[in-house]
Amino acid sequence: MEKYNVQIEAWAPFGEGRNNMFSNETLAEIAKNHNKSIAQVILRWLTQRNVATYPAMPNAIIIITKIIPIINFLFIFYLPFYQFFLSFKWS
């Protein structure tokens, strides 16, 4: 991917807890041998391979769907005031 200047990304590097990743014997042994957590082993492995990691936020879609209406309301509510101050002759 370097050839094409493309960055590989991991948006949920822990697989959202699926596939028993945190109880994987191999990862647990590596973590124990290096006195690290399984999460640290996973992140190190991805970093060594130049993968940008973005840990997933739980319920991100729910949070976003609750924030967008608030932003829209504030924009619609304050827009007339903003337009009024822009049109006001201050001199």
Side-chain angles (χ1 to χ4, degrees):
M1 297 308 266
E2 273 185 47
K3 177 181 175 182
Y4 301 105
N5 199 25
V6 174
Q7 176 64 54
I8 298 174
E9 301 173 345
W11 283 88
F14 304 123
E16 298 178 354
R18 295 186 195 129
N19 302 320
N20 301 319
M21 185 178 293
F22 291 103
S23 59
N24 181 292
E25 292 178 15
T26 304
L27 290 174
E29 184 178 335
I30 293 168
K32 182 180 176 186
N33 290 341
H34 295 279
N35 198 27
K36 303 294 179 188
S37 70
I38 292 176
Q40 288 173 308
V41 171
I42 294 167
L43 291 175
R44 174 69 183 259
W45 186 86
L46 291 167
T47 303
Q48 287 177 320
R49 283 150 185 78
N50 295 319
V51 176
T53 58
Y54 304 96
M57 187 169 84
N59 300 319
I61 294 173
I62 294 171
I63 292 169
I64 290 170
T65 56
K66 291 184 185 286
I67 291 174
I68 289 176
I70 294 169
I71 293 170
N72 285 341
F73 170 78
L74 291 174
F75 178 77
I76 292 167
F77 181 77
Y78 286 108
L79 183 61
F81 296 108
Y82 180 73
Q83 289 173 336
F84 169 77
F85 284 110
L86 284 179
S87 64
F88 187 76
K89 303 294 182 200
W90 291 97
S91 52

